[in-house]
Amino acid sequence: MPVAYGDIRVDVGLRLDLLVDDLVVIEIKAIDALASIHTAQVATYLRFSGRRLGYLINFNTTLIKNGLRRVVR
């Protein structure tokens, strides 16, 4: 995803893990615990892409619902 700042556009920008139906940003992790920096990463992706909804999914949990975090801008 390119990054734009004013009239300047940089094509080597951010790399989204998944973009579902051009609406929902999904960031996938496999770590011991989610931290606030991971939520901030998804929020940054939402801000730069102009999307409003994102999910942060950690697959390193016993139940997937314990590793799911919804981020709304």
Side-chain angles (χ1 to χ4, degrees), residues 5-24:
Y5 181 76
D7 294 334
I8 301 170
R9 179 183 165 137
V10 181
D11 286 326
V12 287
L14 305 172
R15 264 183 206 260
L16 300 174
D17 286 342
L18 290 171
L19 183 61
V20 178
D21 212 13
D22 204 32
L23 294 172
V24 181

